[in-house]
């Protein structure tokens, strides 16, 4: 939602500043805001580190019982972190390969295409609106904002829906719907313009851009939890950090590759075919992801670990013989119990972790 708000306000404010002060004013305003936010970022970082130090000190005192352990808590925090890394004994590549299951890679491909869709359309949309649809400059930023308004508006509902119906079905469905909206924005929009006129094509494309924003919320919001559940088992903080790193890498890669590719294709083959190509790729990857997740499951199955539990081990220490006859009676009872447990069809194994 926060990302969508940034995407939503940026184009509108950028267009207003561009029409008011020219090309340089939006960049000067953005750099000024970043410079003003810098002291607040430093302050937050220091307060966050102080809070971590306090929590670590409290945890150390509570676990060890030593009231003087708070002294040098910062050194303990650093040693604890470095000790955890040494305990893992894994290189960076080993850590990455440890979580790169095929489910993570398919989810990462959906993420890459989902973020790439933003860069694909936004790179060529402005020129298309100006040259093909004759839209004025002051309305272009508003049309860009339509995408992000629907993206942010549907965000909370999509999160609740994904928690209920599953992350991967919502994510894959969002990718295929985004691809379909690209196809409808390309050749289908041109056909609407030829048959119903330019104004009808404008309404058609603005409506589809709004739907595209909603479909992107379906595709993008569940991707991080979908990656986490693709690893399987109980995740420690180190594994979660590795997954988040992979998530950020594929997200930024999608935003990086799509603008130059769409910017090169659009002048060569036109707006409609450029949109149709990317939409077809999204539909194809979505169908493939649906097939593999449907066939093999979206979440890996954990193997059950069985630990034998003796039916008499918990009570045996409580039986204390008083006389020699009691001891002989207990030994004979235990002998019968052991032989009976071997022949009994009852399974005394308790599942753990399954």
């Amino acid at each position: 939602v926060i990302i969508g708000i940034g995407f939503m306000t940026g184009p509108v404010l950028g267009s207003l500043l561009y029409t008011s002060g020219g090309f340089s004013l939006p960049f000067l305003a953005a750099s000024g805001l970043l410079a003003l936010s810098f002291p607040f970022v430093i302050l937050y970082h220091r307060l966050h580190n102080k809070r971590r130090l306090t929590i670590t000190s409290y945890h150390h005192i509570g676990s060890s019982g030593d009231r003087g352990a708070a002294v040098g808590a910062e050194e303990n925090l650093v040693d604890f972190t470095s000790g955890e890394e040494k305990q893992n004994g894994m290189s960076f590549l080993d850590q990455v390969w440890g979580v790169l299951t095929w489910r993570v890679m398919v989810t990462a491909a959906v993420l890459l295409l989902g973020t790439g869709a933003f860069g694909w359309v936004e790179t060529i949309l402005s020129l298309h609106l100006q040259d093909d649809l004759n839209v004025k400059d002051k309305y272009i930023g508003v049309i860009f904002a339509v995408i992000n308004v629907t993206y942010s508006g549907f965000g909370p509902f999509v999160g609740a829906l994904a928690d209920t119906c599953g992350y991967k079905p919502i994510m894959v469905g969002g990718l295929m719907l985004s691809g379909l909206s690209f196809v409808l924005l390309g050749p289908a929009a041109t056909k609407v313009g030829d048959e119903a006129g330019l104004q009808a094509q404008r309404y058609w494309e603005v409506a589809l851009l709004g739907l595209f924003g909603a479909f992107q919320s379906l595709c993008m919001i569940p991707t991080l939890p979908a990656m986490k559940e693709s690893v399987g088992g109980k995740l420690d903080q180190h594994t979660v950090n590795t997954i988040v790193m992979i998530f950020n890498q594929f997200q930024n890669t999608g935003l990086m590759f799509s603008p130059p590719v769409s910017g090169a294709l659009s002048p060569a083959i036109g707006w409609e075919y450029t949109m149709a190509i990317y939409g077809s790729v999204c539909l194809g990857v979505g169908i493939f992801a649906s097939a593999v997740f449907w066939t093999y499951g979206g979440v890996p199955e954990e193997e059950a670990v069985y630990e034998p539990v003796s039916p008499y081990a918990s009570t045996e220490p409580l039986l204390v013989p008083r006389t020699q006859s009691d001891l002989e009676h207990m030994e004979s009872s235990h002998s019968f119990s052991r032989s009976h447990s071997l022949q009994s069809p009852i399974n005394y194994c308790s599942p753990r972790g399954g």
Side-chain angles (χ1 to χ4, degrees):
V1 176
I2 301 301
I3 294 175
I5 292 175
F7 283 135
M8 176 178 62
T9 57
V12 177
L13 294 177
S15 297
L16 293 175
L17 293 173
Y18 174 75
T19 55
S20 301
F23 178 78
S24 60
L25 184 58
F27 296 96
L28 293 175
S31 60
L33 287 175
L34 290 175
L36 291 175
S37 66
F38 184 74
F40 296 97
V41 174
I42 297 298
L43 178 62
Y44 171 79
H45 179 69
R46 291 184 177 180
L47 292 175
H48 180 67
N49 284 343
K50 184 182 295 185
R51 182 174 179 272
R52 284 186 59 192
L53 180 61
T54 303
I55 294 175
T56 305
S57 303
Y58 177 79
H59 176 72
H60 184 77
I61 294 172
S63 59
S64 63
D66 185 7
R67 294 295 178 180
V71 180
E74 185 174 359
E75 287 79 4
N76 291 331
L77 177 62
V78 175
D79 292 337
F80 174 79
T81 304
S82 60
E84 183 182 13
E85 293 177 354
K86 293 177 182 178
Q87 185 178 359
N88 289 331
M90 299 172 63
S91 64
F92 173 76
L93 292 179
D94 292 335
Q95 296 167 10
V96 174
W97 283 113
V99 300
L100 281 183
T101 64
W102 68 264
R103 291 180 176 88
V104 173
M105 292 304 300
V106 173
T107 306
V110 174
L111 171 65
L112 185 143
L113 290 175
T115 55
F118 280 117
W120 190 274
V121 66
E122 291 179 353
T123 302
I124 59 179
L125 178 60
S126 178
L127 293 176
H128 169 66
L129 294 175
Q130 288 177 339
D131 299 339
D132 300 334
L133 301 183
N134 298 324
V135 177
K136 297 181 180 180
D137 293 340
K138 61 181 180 179
Y139 297 120
I140 292 178
V142 178
I143 294 175
F144 271 91
V146 169
I147 302 173
N148 303 295
V149 167
T150 55
Y151 179 88
S152 300
F154 279 85
F157 303 101
V158 170
L161 182 65
D163 291 336
T164 304
C165 302
Y167 302 118
K168 289 186 173 65
I170 301 300
M171 174 191 71
V172 174
L175 179 66
M176 290 192 291
L177 288 173
S178 295
L180 179 62
S181 66
F182 270 33
V183 175
L184 295 176
L185 275 167
T190 304
K191 187 175 182 180
V192 169
D194 294 338
E195 295 183 356
L198 188 61
Q199 188 66 19
Q201 184 178 355
R202 291 172 184 156
Y203 288 128
W204 173 272
E205 294 195 11
V206 171
L208 282 172
L209 289 172
L211 290 175
F212 166 70
F215 297 155
Q216 281 293 96
S217 67
L218 292 172
C219 177
M220 300 299 300
I221 290 176
T223 49
L224 181 56
M227 275 191 175
K228 292 179 181 179
E229 71 175 9
S230 298
V231 178
K234 185 177 181 180
L235 305 182
D236 55 14
Q237 187 60 43
H238 185 75
T239 304
V240 172
N241 293 338
T242 305
I243 295 172
V244 172
M245 182 271 296
I246 296 172
F247 173 86
N248 290 330
Q249 185 64 40
F250 277 89
Q251 184 183 45
N252 292 319
T253 302
L255 293 172
M256 178 182 65
F257 90 91
S258 57
V261 176
S262 64
L265 284 178
S266 183
I269 62 177
W271 156 269
E272 58 271 13
Y273 292 109
T274 303
M275 297 297 292
I277 288 174
Y278 199 88
S280 301
V281 172
C282 291
L283 285 170
V285 173
I287 293 172
F288 170 78
S290 299
V292 294
F293 288 147
W294 178 267
T295 304
Y296 301 104
V299 180
E301 296 181 0
E302 299 178 17
E303 296 182 358
V305 180
Y306 293 94
E307 181 180 357
V309 178
S310 174
Y312 54 84
S314 59
T315 58
E316 186 175 8
L318 299 178
L319 302 178
V320 181
R322 295 182 180 179
T323 62
Q324 181 65 27
S325 60
D326 293 339
L327 178 60
E328 293 175 355
H329 176 72
M330 290 176 58
E331 289 178 350
S332 62
S333 300
H334 287 180
S335 174
F336 172 77
S337 299
R338 292 185 180 92
S339 62
H340 179 71
S341 65
L342 292 175
Q343 299 172 3
S344 174
I346 301 176
N347 185 10
Y348 290 105
C349 296
S350 60
R352 183 185 67 184

